[in-house]
Amino acid sequence: MKLAVVGGGSTYTPELVDGFARLRDTLPVGELVLIDPAAERLELVGGLARRIFARQGHPGTVTTTSDLDAGVADADAVLLQLRVGGQAARLQDETWPLECGCVGQETTGAGGLAKALRTVPVVLDIAERVRRTNPDAWIIDFTNPVGIVTRALLNAGHKAVGLCNVAIGFQRKFARWLDLSPADIHLDHVGLNHLTWELGVRLGGPDGENLLPRLLDVRGGDLAADLGLPRQVLDRLGVVPSYYLRYFYAHDEVVRELATKPSRAAEVAAMEAELLALYADPALDEKPELLARRGGAFYSEAAVDLAAALLGDGGPSVQVVNARNDGTLPFLPDDAVIEVQARVDGSGPVPLAVPRLDPLYAGLIAQVTAYEDLALDAALRGGRERVFRALLAHPLVGQFAQAEGLTDRLLAHNKEHLAWA
């Protein structure tokens, strides 16, 4: 089996490689190709990847290339984890929205729109080249904003599935707290990428005992602290929102915090410099402890599980993915991309049935989906007015003056990445 990773020079790649090495019985990778235009970074990461495979006795090979077409040729799956504009663009996404009193974040709000505008055209170009070279390859998208990017891929007819680590992170946390195996935990996970709630935590499967009330009673304080929300929010909702919901439920508080502390982009950039220095050490043959602070916990396990279900012959598995709605949430269009439990096999994901959602959640999902419609239109066709409309529709913006000011700033900071601007 051949896997190709576009954005393989990322400092995060050793986490993926470690998962491929440890879980080789689940996903027998014969060749792993790391693809990236940043040759110096790519060789550092590629060297460590080879040493990780060797340390763990993995028989597969790791190759590196800056030639996308050659790298994806004959690949069974192509994993996308690119960042157009790098950490410098992320720093801007987290900074200029604050000037308008709005959350500065790389995947939601105005910063998330900027990232979508830069990213969608690049991803679609890559996907077309994959299709020309190898039309049967699956595209597994880790690239944020995952929902919008995956929707662009699916609307263009690509074999694509989106993946996020929020659900697997909750699964592992809850299993640890309940002294259970992660395989024993089934989440009633529903929403959009970075806009999800755990409506239930079930023992053994979708029809199992709901352990969520016990979790909230015993570990509600710990969970609230992890999410940065008051305990009473969880008690009153009776569900677990993802940590991205803090941008909605405590928007003004978050804006004040972000305005008075270093950006996450600056922290990650400093970590990346340290990581690259570590990767250059020829004696290093395992992922360093520092990588855990980089973000993306358990992505490797989620990636292995998804790729194995899409490519293996072991039958379907149930896991949380980003996939077409196709009536699962009846208040959304069929081509919306939702993040739910799905049955996944070689033909792709099929979302499991979801109970009727409380309007408290359905309303916000519908509004953000409308924003994503407008955001994708702006990413595909460009134009200041389309950017403005998307910003005005976003619930984290929603005011005319803010949308105008954010549009001006977004375009000013992203001219080099937007041909039409």
Side-chain angles (χ1 to χ4, degrees):
M1 183 182 298
K2 176 179 176 180
L3 298 184
V5 180
V6 180
S10 167
T11 55
Y12 182 72
T13 297
E15 170 67 28
L16 278 177
V17 174
D18 177 74
F20 295 150
R22 287 186 294 103
L23 303 172
R24 55 186 175 273
D25 291 338
T26 302
L27 186 69
V29 178
E31 181 182 2
L32 178 64
V33 184
L34 307 181
I35 306 166
D36 203 295
E40 185 175 349
R41 287 172 61 110
L42 183 60
E43 285 312 307
L44 290 176
V45 173
L48 175 56
R50 294 185 191 99
R51 296 192 297 273
I52 290 173
F53 266 31
R55 176 190 174 99
Q56 300 198 28
H58 194 293
T61 62
V62 177
T63 59
T64 60
T65 182
S66 296
D67 185 333
L68 176 70
D69 296 323
V72 302
D74 301 320
D76 296 286
V78 177
L79 285 64
L80 304 181
Q81 58 170 35
L82 58 148
R83 182 183 293 279
V84 180
Q87 292 298 330
R90 176 180 180 170
L91 178 60
Q92 293 178 352
D93 294 343
E94 294 178 354
T95 303
W96 53 262
L98 297 173
E99 298 171 5
C100 297
C102 295
V103 161
Q105 211 278 330
E106 63 156 342
T107 66
T108 192
L113 176 61
K115 193 171 195 301
L117 297 179
R118 294 192 304 267
T119 303
V120 166
V122 174
V123 165
L124 289 178
D125 177 67
I126 291 169
E128 284 300 327
R129 293 166 69 179
V130 170
R131 180 153 55 188
R132 288 198 302 267
T133 306
N134 186 11
D136 292 327
W138 278 101
I139 295 176
I140 299 175
D141 177 53
F142 302 153
T143 298
N144 282 318
V146 166
I148 295 173
V149 172
T150 303
R151 189 172 184 179
L153 288 165
L154 291 173
N155 285 356
H158 298 288
K159 293 175 60 177
V161 185
L163 188 63
C164 180
N165 72 324
V166 168
I168 194 171
F170 275 135
Q171 181 200 44
R172 300 304 173 87
K173 183 195 298 287
F174 297 157
R176 187 173 68 251
W177 285 351
L178 293 165
D179 197 25
L180 295 169
S181 163
D184 292 328
I185 298 295
H186 175 94
L187 300 176
D188 293 340
H189 180 100
V190 63
L192 310 176
N193 180 241
H194 291 184
L195 191 84
T196 53
W197 296 262
E198 310 306 329
L199 306 183
V201 178
R202 301 192 179 274
L203 180 62
D207 298 321
E209 177 190 358
N210 186 8
L211 306 176
L212 181 56
R214 187 203 312 174
L215 265 175
L216 290 175
D217 181 52
V218 176
R219 302 303 295 258
D222 296 328
L223 190 52
D226 289 347
L227 298 172
L229 291 170
R231 167 71 184 266
Q232 64 175 335
V233 173
L234 303 189
D235 290 338
R236 293 176 69 177
L237 294 178
V239 304
V240 180
S242 85
Y243 44 86
Y244 288 94
L245 264 299
R246 185 168 187 258
Y247 298 120
F248 296 82
Y249 292 163
H251 175 275
D252 294 353
E253 179 183 348
V254 172
V255 169
R256 288 192 294 270
E257 288 177 4
L258 294 175
T260 58
K261 70 177 187 179
S263 71
R264 175 63 178 166
E267 294 175 356
V268 170
M271 268 187 270
E272 287 199 331
E274 289 186 62
L275 286 167
L276 289 171
L278 292 171
Y279 296 171
D281 180 358
L284 182 68
D285 57 4
E286 59 184 344
K287 64 178 183 180
E289 185 177 338
L290 176 62
L291 188 55
R293 291 165 43 207
R294 170 70 175 79
F298 307 116
Y299 253 130
S300 59
E301 286 90 342
V304 168
D305 288 346
L306 178 55
L310 294 170
L311 305 174
D313 55 7
S317 69
V318 174
Q319 50 196 285
V320 174
V321 297
N322 284 261
R324 270 180 60 99
N325 177 45
D326 283 335
T328 307
L329 300 180
F331 55 89
L332 297 183
D334 283 346
D335 70 339
V337 166
I338 60 175
E339 187 172 294
V340 293
Q341 292 277 9
R343 188 173 301 277
V344 185
D345 60 19
S347 61
V350 177
L352 302 184
V354 174
R356 183 180 180 275
L357 284 184
D358 187 311
L360 180 61
Y361 314 122
L364 186 53
I365 290 170
Q367 186 175 1
V368 175
T369 297
Y371 151 76
E372 290 187 348
D373 289 344
L374 296 168
L376 184 53
D377 185 45
L380 294 174
R381 297 202 289 162
R384 186 188 188 282
E385 188 63 17
R386 293 188 181 93
V387 173
F388 168 78
R389 284 165 54 83
L391 287 167
L392 188 61
H394 201 295
L396 294 182
V397 181
Q399 298 182 68
F400 184 89
Q402 274 88 341
E404 283 280 20
L406 290 167
T407 300
D408 290 339
R409 287 165 173 80
L410 186 155
L411 296 179
H413 284 284
N414 287 276
K415 283 184 177 179
E416 66 180 297
H417 301 294
L418 306 177
W420 50 268

